[in-house]
Amino acid sequence: MPDRLLERAIKRRYDTDLKSSFRFTEKKRGLLTEMTNRAKNDGREIVLVLSPAHPAAYIYAKEGYYAKAREALSEFGQENNVTIIDALDIVPGELYSDGVHPMDEGAKLVSNHVASKLAGLLQTSEPRN
């Protein structure tokens, strides 16, 4: 994608969505809690992956947006014995095909990061945040 089109796509995607503070509403928390409880009741484990964000998202996000998201989800993980894998900053900007989607090389970085964290989980029964 040409630079000017990429810049426009990034601005369109992030300039409005991230202007407010991160909000982990009771509804969102409730849905994740219910999903976690159902999985546990079925003998399964939940692992939440924070999807990669284009580095330009930080330019448009309200200050502290991602820090607050990480904090809220880490707390949720600790309270509910859920593993959180943070992949927000795994993909550098040049490995995105647009403002949202990593190219193959970027996807490999994410996959390798998640696989590495999951492999670590197999060696311990405690969630890692």
Side-chain angles (χ1 to χ4, degrees), residues 3 51 62 66 79 104 109 120:
D3 287 346
S51 297
K62 184 170 184 173
Y66 287 108
E79 292 168 1
D104 289 347
L109 290 175

Side-chain angles (χ1 to χ4, degrees), residues 40-110:
K40 286 179 185 177
N41 289 339
D42 290 341
R44 293 179 281 140
E45 182 179 347
I46 294 287
V47 176
L48 296 177
V49 178
L50 304 184
S51 297
H54 193 288
Y58 287 90
I59 295 167
Y60 295 102
K62 184 170 184 173
E63 187 175 338
Y65 180 92
Y66 287 108
K68 187 171 181 181
R70 284 180 165 112
E71 180 182 336
L73 292 167
S74 179
E75 286 176 10
F76 176 84
Q78 291 171 2
E79 292 168 1
N80 293 280
N81 199 30
V82 170
T83 299
I84 308 295
I85 298 176
D86 185 347
L88 272 169
D89 300 321
I90 295 299
V91 182
E94 64 272 9
L95 296 182
Y96 280 83
S97 61
D98 58 23
V100 179
H101 303 98
M103 293 184 284
D104 289 347
E105 287 181 57
K108 286 178 188 175
L109 290 175
V110 175

